[in-house]
Amino acid sequence: MGVSFLSTCPSLLPLVAYETPPFTRYQPRSVSICCNKTKSDVTDEEPFRWRRRDVLKCVGATVGLELIGSSGSLVGMANAADLIQRRQRSEFQSQVKGTLFKAIKGNPDIIPSFLTLALNDALTYDKATKSGGPNGSIRFSPEISRPENTGLSAALNLLEEAKKEVDSYSKGGPISYADLISYAAQSAVKATFLAAAIRKCGGNEEKGNILYNAYGSNGQWGLFDRQFGRADAQDPDPEGRVPIWEKASVQEMKDKFSAVGFGPRQLAVLSAFLGPDQTATETLLASDPDVAPWVQKYQRSRETVSQTDYEVDLITTFTKLSTLGQQINYEAYTYPPPKIDITKLKL
C-alpha cells in the first residue's frame, strides 16, 4: 500500500503533553505521568524517545486508515457486479413471463390446472424432515401419475414446450422446473385477475386492462419476483403427502394446510387452486365455521372494483407457498458479461 511510517510522526507529536506551570516558564520541572498504572519520571531536559507501544499504535492506525481509504473501490466493484447480475436476472425473468403469458393466452382453459400443479408440487413439503416442497418433482412420471394429480399432465406438457423455448434464449443455463411451475402459476393468477377486470368492464378488453393497471395488484409481486432461483429435485417426492382435493373433506384440507404452516385464511384464499370449479370448492369450504368467514370476505372482495383484499392475500400466500423448504439461489441465471476489446473500437 506504500505506507510511510515517517509521514505519520508529525501528526502524533502534538499528542505528547508538556505541562508548563505558570511563572516557571524556563525552569526545568519533573513531571509524573501515569498510564495504565505504570509511572515514570520525565524531565524537560531529557530527549524525547518513542516507546515500542507508541510505534505499534502509530503503524496500526496508519495501516487501518489506509485500508479504510482503499475499501471504497472494492465496495464499488461489488456493487457494480451486483447490479449487473440483477439486470441479467430481471431481463431473463421478463422473457420467461412473456413466454408463459403467450402459452396461457393461447390455452386459457388450462389455467386451473397450472394453479393445482403448483399447489400439489409445493404441498409435498414436510416440516419434520425438511423435504419436498416446490422443487419440480411433479415432473417425474411416478409423481404426475398419482391420483391427486389426475388431469394435470396437459399443463405439464405445455410447460415442457415452454421450457424448450426459455432454454433456447437463456444465457445463464436452463430454467429449473421449480421456477417454471411457480411462474406459470403466477401468470395464471394474473390472468384471472385481468379476466375479472375485463368482466367488470362489460367484456371490453381495453377498459379492463386500464382498470387492472390502475387498481390491480401488480405492485404486490415484488417479493415473489425476487424468489427466482429454486432448485430442482432429482427424484419424485414421497407419496401420501397431498390429498385428492375433489374427495377430501374440509377437515382433511385444514389438516394438510396446517402441516405446512397455513390456516383457514390461506385455505380460503387458495380456493381457486383446489380444483377446476372455484365456486363448488368455496361452497364446500363455507360449510366449515373456521373457513366460512374468510370465504365470505374474499367473495365480497371479488365484487369490488379493485378486489384488493382478495388479490393481496392471494399473492402473499402464494409467495410463501412457492418457497416452502427452498433455498433460493440469487445468482441463478447470471452469466459473465461479454468482454470488450478496446483495440477494435473505432473512435
Side-chain angles (χ1 to χ4, degrees):
M1 289 183 285
V3 177
S4 173
F5 169 70
L6 292 177
S7 66
T8 66
C9 294
S11 63
L12 293 174
L13 287 175
L15 299 178
V16 181
Y18 290 93
E19 296 287 347
T20 306
F23 311 111
T24 57
R25 183 175 301 173
Y26 301 105
Q27 299 298 323
R29 185 177 184 273
S30 178
V31 180
S32 180
I33 301 176
C34 180
C35 181
N36 295 332
K37 298 183 179 180
T38 302
K39 294 185 178 180
S40 61
D41 290 334
V42 180
T43 65
D44 291 344
E45 292 179 345
E46 292 179 352
F48 176 77
R49 298 179 183 278
W50 285 95
R51 289 178 298 176
R52 186 168 62 176
R53 182 188 303 171
D54 297 324
V55 173
L56 294 176
K57 285 183 177 179
C58 175
V59 173
T62 305
V63 172
L65 290 172
E66 190 69 23
L67 287 172
I68 292 172
S70 62
S71 65
S73 59
L74 299 177
V75 173
M77 292 172 61
N79 288 341
D82 184 53
L83 288 174
I84 291 174
Q85 289 187 345
R86 287 186 186 182
R87 184 184 64 188
Q88 290 173 349
R89 285 163 56 84
S90 177
E91 290 175 352
F92 179 56
Q93 190 179 92
S94 296
Q95 290 178 300
V96 172
K97 289 180 179 181
T99 298
L100 293 172
F101 175 79
K102 288 189 296 182
I104 288 176
K105 189 175 182 180
N107 301 271
D109 294 339
I110 213 165
I111 285 177
S113 296
F114 275 144
L115 300 180
T116 307
L117 186 73
L119 179 70
N120 287 5
D121 188 44
L123 285 186
T124 57
Y125 177 63
D126 180 67
K127 291 177 69 175
T129 60
K130 306 296 183 185
S131 62
N135 54 20
S137 65
I138 200 169
R139 73 187 187 275
F140 292 112
S141 178
E143 187 167 336
I144 192 66
S145 61
R146 293 173 186 168
E148 66 267 23
N149 296 324
T150 299
L152 301 182
S153 295
L156 184 60
N157 292 337
L158 189 60
L159 287 187
E160 292 278 8
E161 294 300 317
K163 189 178 189 305
K164 293 177 183 178
E165 180 180 343
V166 171
D167 290 348
S168 69
Y169 56 66
S170 173
K171 299 178 182 178
I175 189 171
S176 68
Y177 280 92
D179 274 336
L180 193 66
I181 291 170
S182 291
Y183 277 82
Q186 182 202 37
S187 295
V189 169
K190 287 185 173 182
T192 63
F193 291 168
L194 178 58
I198 293 174
R199 283 196 303 271
K200 290 170 184 175
C201 293
N204 188 306
E205 290 191 14
E206 182 179 356
K207 291 182 178 179
N209 275 282
I210 294 174
L211 175 64
Y212 177 60
N213 291 326
Y215 296 99
S217 54
N218 268 328
Q220 302 295 323
W221 288 103
L223 180 59
F224 177 89
D225 287 341
R226 284 193 291 274
Q227 314 304 317
F228 192 42
R230 298 167 183 81
D232 276 342
Q234 300 306 311
D235 298 291
D237 284 336
E239 291 189 64
R241 293 186 176 182
V242 181
I244 301 175
W245 303 113
E246 292 82 359
K247 298 180 180 180
S249 66
V250 179
Q251 187 59 51
E252 288 174 328
M253 296 181 188
K254 288 166 61 178
D255 291 343
K256 180 57 197 178
F257 271 62
S258 177
V260 297
F262 288 163
R265 180 176 188 172
Q266 289 75 31
L267 177 58
V269 82
L270 289 178
S271 59
F273 288 66
L274 300 172
D277 191 343
Q278 184 178 16
T279 302
T281 301
E282 288 187 333
T283 300
L284 175 62
L285 294 176
S287 64
D288 184 274
D290 295 328
V291 188
W294 297 108
V295 171
Q296 295 162 5
K297 174 183 178 179
Y298 296 131
Q299 287 176 339
R300 290 193 301 269
S301 177
R302 290 200 299 268
E303 293 173 359
T304 64
V305 172
S306 61
Q307 55 182 29
T308 301
D309 288 343
Y310 173 67
E311 291 190 6
V312 171
D313 281 6
L314 177 52
I315 293 170
T316 302
T317 302
F318 178 57
T319 299
K320 183 177 179 180
L321 176 76
S322 69
T323 55
L324 289 174
Q326 275 281 355
Q327 295 293 326
I328 304 299
N329 176 13
Y330 293 99
E331 295 183 358
Y333 314 121
T334 61
Y335 51 91
K339 296 182 179 180
I340 300 176
D341 186 355
I342 61 174
T343 63
K344 296 182 180 181
L345 294 177
K346 295 183 180 180
L347 302 178

